Amino acid sequence: CYKKRRGKRTSMMNHTMWNIDHKTVLSISLRPKYINKRDELGHLEIDSILGRRNEYSSIISIVDRCSRRVWLIKAEYKNEYYIDKIIYEFILRNEIEVKSITVDNGLEFGALGLTAKKLGVKLYKCDPYCSFQRGTNERTNALVRRWIPKGSSMKLKSQIDLDDICFEINTMPRKIFDFKSSCEIESNYK
């Protein structure tokens, strides 16, 4: 004998809203529109910059969408859990404000949902082959390539070298900010 369900049936929209509220890894199509306005600090884009072929060392770049401030992290391996751990520790050590994270579909970011869950933020994954969905990060990586050309070894770069590059980029006057630097823009928001 079947038991009859009692109560209100939930609609598909309620189920979708529950998934959005309780999941930490979402498609970029579900990213709220206010993030695109770049009105507040803390919405980050993360990408990796690779060196020579068949080399495990890489650089992880983190960019704030509003202030365009950049942080670079040296990564010795491409393991997804290793990458997740160094990003989480770097964010905590440098007290970076995080409200959302946007990444591509690279295998190295497969476990980054753990960091998003620990930080209590949403992680948005871009569509495959759509680098324009993380345009801020791609432009910043082009700036980093001024100091680290394509094909150069990442093994030779230390974290101190990367911090120097970050300082140069973050203090560079930018036309988009009426020739103010990213550090000046960030201090205006605090």
Side-chain angles (χ1 to χ4, degrees), residues 101-189:
I101 301 173
T102 304
V103 295
D104 61 4
N105 283 314
L107 295 176
E108 66 270 21
F109 299 124
L112 203 57
L114 298 172
T115 292
K117 191 170 186 176
K118 289 178 200 171
L119 296 172
V121 298
K122 302 279 187 214
L123 175 78
Y124 299 100
K125 288 212 170 208
C126 292
D127 298 325
Y129 306 106
C130 294
S131 60
F132 62 87
Q133 293 173 338
R134 293 174 301 97
T136 304
N137 201 266
E138 294 296 329
R139 175 69 186 123
T140 304
N141 290 352
L143 289 174
V144 172
R145 289 292 186 187
R146 292 181 183 180
W147 286 271
I148 306 171
K150 278 194 170 201
S152 59
S153 177
M154 298 298 178
K155 284 183 181 178
L156 305 175
K157 298 293 176 190
S158 67
Q159 186 62 46
I160 295 171
D161 295 334
L162 299 180
D163 292 340
D164 291 341
I165 293 169
C166 288
F167 178 78
E168 292 289 330
I169 294 173
N170 292 333
T171 57
M172 178 189 312
R174 298 191 184 209
K175 187 177 180 180
I176 194 168
F177 296 137
D178 201 23
F179 297 100
K180 292 181 180 175
S181 68
S182 296
C183 292
E184 292 172 317
I185 295 300
E186 188 175 39
S187 65
N188 289 343
Y189 279 96

Side-chain angles (χ1 to χ4, degrees), residues 27-42:
S27 169
I28 195 158
S29 61
L30 298 173
R31 186 170 72 178
K33 300 295 181 205
Y34 71 88
I35 295 176
N36 292 337
K37 293 181 181 177
R38 302 174 190 262
D39 287 339
E40 61 183 355
L41 299 174

Side-chain angles (χ1 to χ4, degrees), residues 75-91:
E76 297 292 335
Y77 312 103
K78 293 182 182 177
N79 181 299
E80 59 192 62
Y81 295 104
Y82 169 76
I83 298 291
D84 174 62
K85 181 180 178 222
I86 64 170
I87 290 174
Y88 179 69
E89 289 174 354
F90 188 84
I91 287 172

Side-chain angles (χ1 to χ4, degrees), residues 39-56:
D39 287 339
E40 61 183 355
L41 299 174
H43 300 290
L44 306 179
E45 292 183 5
I46 301 178
D47 194 17
S48 58
I49 304 172
L50 303 176
R52 289 186 180 154
R53 288 180 188 230
N54 303 325
E55 187 177 78
Y56 292 114

